[in-house]
Amino acid sequence: MSDPTRTHQNSAKAFERALQVMPGGVSSPVRAFKGVGGTPIFIARGAGAIVEDVDQNQYIDYVGSFGPLIVGHANDRVVAAAAKAMGRGACYGAPTELETQLAGMIVEALPAADMVRFVNSGTEAAMSVVRLARAATGRDLLVKCIGCYHGHVDSLLVQAGSGALTMAEAESRGDANNSAGGNTPPISAPSSPGIPRSLAATTLLTPYNDLHAAERLFDERGAQIAAFLVEPVAGNMGVVPPEAGYLDGLRELCTKHGALLIFDEVMTGFRVGWGGAQALYDAAPDLTCLGKIIGGGLPVGAYAGRRSLMEMVSPAGSVYQAGTLSGNPLAMSAGLATLEILREGAGECYVHLEKSAETLMSGLIGAAHAAGVALTVNRVGSMLTPFFTRMAGAPVRNFDDAMTCDTAAYAVFFHAMLERGVFLPPSQFEAWFVSTAHEDLLIESTLSAAKESFDAVAKSRGS
Ligand code: PLP
């Protein structure tokens, strides 16, 4: 039941103050969602799978900071590791053994990683691999999939997913989909003002999960293409898994044309399994971007790949890339503690995550069906998106499919869940994240709230 005793005055006041000194009152656009009374909820603390806002309302959290918190909020071991690192001094401008340890763990886990360079965010990782790929191939063009998101890098913020997509969708309800159909190559339109068109033009677009379209692109421009960048499981148009043969096909195509295949595993790395999507799908990228989980909730990013490529990076090679806070001891320590938890017991964490996420998914499908609301749930491991499709179970294979979903229904569902103490990503085009702290009882409570919230959707549609 929606809880009428929940109040949100403190969040409203906090938002008012924030709006005075920060654009939109937030540090990242999707956080500015219009929650109860039109303001976002301001979070005071988190523990396990629960967050508490500044009005002392508690929520079961499926945002999970958009991915990093796979072992939940304030996990004892992660907190202790970060606190210990802080006690030894926050950072030094000199190497620490923590970096080597975390890099070693990444190399151990990811089949396509011989060496690792740490940066401070997923955006930085993507920006840096683009430079490396261009340097390695002597070519300028990139290919990215429509609706995938690789951070706010100028040349990659072109028909981008995540917040860029949500904002565009909000502005032009119903016709945000400006991807061209058929054989017409989509136009490389920047997702933000301030990006030179000439730079956006170096990014070619192709629909996700469409190998034929990628082949056509390579037939036309293959000799100029430095790299194909892809989220191996798309997470930023909502979760969309790769179809059988897609990742292998991209591998063959890149090899044939002398381009590099880059997996952006900022979201999927250590999320869909210990070895990321590359192990799950037995795929072989040349370079991999990482972030989120490897920092245990602290700011981090990394890129990794074959030794011959990684040794082109400065100071081993001439491709310049640097960072005052890169390899920060707090982030390394929190990341190491997180990965240690995930590695224990031969990956039993992932078995547990799979079970919880499967229970959540099937419960959502059942509850939607009972309420007469059409729903498709895409899920890979502990990341999932319930899409409000036109027909129950209608496939969502790419951006165009995602864009046919009823975002107004998602908004009704989101608000109904929030009022019932469940915190979801505020957009249809984001992934929900289950953590090891989402115990059975919490999943059950979530599903009870979902039953009522699907009824609210049905009511809003007048059915
Ligand atoms: N790549 C992917 C696949 C992401 O999901 C994100 C962020 O959500 C990024 C890159 C950018 O990472 P960050 O927000 O740390 O810059």
Side-chain angles (χ1 to χ4, degrees), residues 334-348:
L336 270 168
T338 303
L339 297 198
E340 273 160 12
I341 296 169
L342 294 175
R343 187 173 59 176
E344 276 166 9
E348 69 189 30

Side-chain angles (χ1 to χ4, degrees), residues 60 77 115 158 183 187 217 230 234 286 295 306 365 379 392 406 442 462:
I60 306 171
R77 286 166 63 180
M115 299 186 102
V158 180
N183 288 339
I187 298 155
L217 207 53
V230 67
D286 297 295
R306 268 206 315 279
I365 292 171
R379 179 180 75 85
D406 184 348
L442 294 177

Side-chain angles (χ1 to χ4, degrees), residues 91-95 99 117-121 124 127-128 131 303 313-315 320-329:
C91 51
Y92 317 110
E99 292 152 73
R117 166 57 64 88
F118 289 109
V119 291
N120 300 289
S121 67
E124 248 188 272
M127 183 182 82
S128 308
R131 182 174 306 148
Y303 56 105
V313 177
S314 185
Y320 194 72
Q321 183 273 304
T324 301
L325 293 176
S326 296
N328 176 270

Side-chain angles (χ1 to χ4, degrees), residues 92-163:
Y92 317 110
T96 66
E97 291 181 323
L98 294 166
E99 292 152 73
T100 319
Q101 283 169 29
L102 186 56
M105 237 164 163
I106 292 170
V107 168
E108 174 196 309
L110 297 194
D114 294 338
M115 299 186 102
V116 181
R117 166 57 64 88
F118 289 109
V119 291
N120 300 289
S121 67
T123 297
E124 248 188 272
M127 183 182 82
S128 308
V129 283
V130 163
R131 182 174 306 148
L132 179 54
R134 285 175 166 153
T137 57
R139 302 171 179 181
D140 285 348
L141 297 187
L142 306 169
V143 185
K144 87 170 270 290
C145 291
I146 299 164
C148 280
Y149 178 67
H150 306 289
H152 58 94
V153 182
D154 272 356
S155 55
L156 298 174
L157 207 54
V158 180
Q159 293 218 351
S162 189

Side-chain angles (χ1 to χ4, degrees), residues 66 120-124 126 149-152 162 231 236 264-267 292 300:
F66 289 98
N120 300 289
S121 67
T123 297
E124 248 188 272
Y149 178 67
H150 306 289
H152 58 94
S162 189
E231 289 180 72
N236 287 291
D264 182 344
E265 296 229 43
V266 167
M267 192 182 284
K292 301 198 191 254
V300 84

Side-chain angles (χ1 to χ4, degrees), residues 208-240:
Y208 184 73
N209 263 335
D210 187 341
L211 197 52
H212 292 306
E215 280 164 359
R216 283 196 298 274
L217 207 53
F218 272 91
D219 284 346
E220 282 166 27
R221 315 284 297 269
Q224 297 165 276
I225 295 172
F228 193 116
L229 213 89
V230 67
E231 289 180 72
V233 175
N236 287 291
M237 50 181 118
V239 173
V240 182

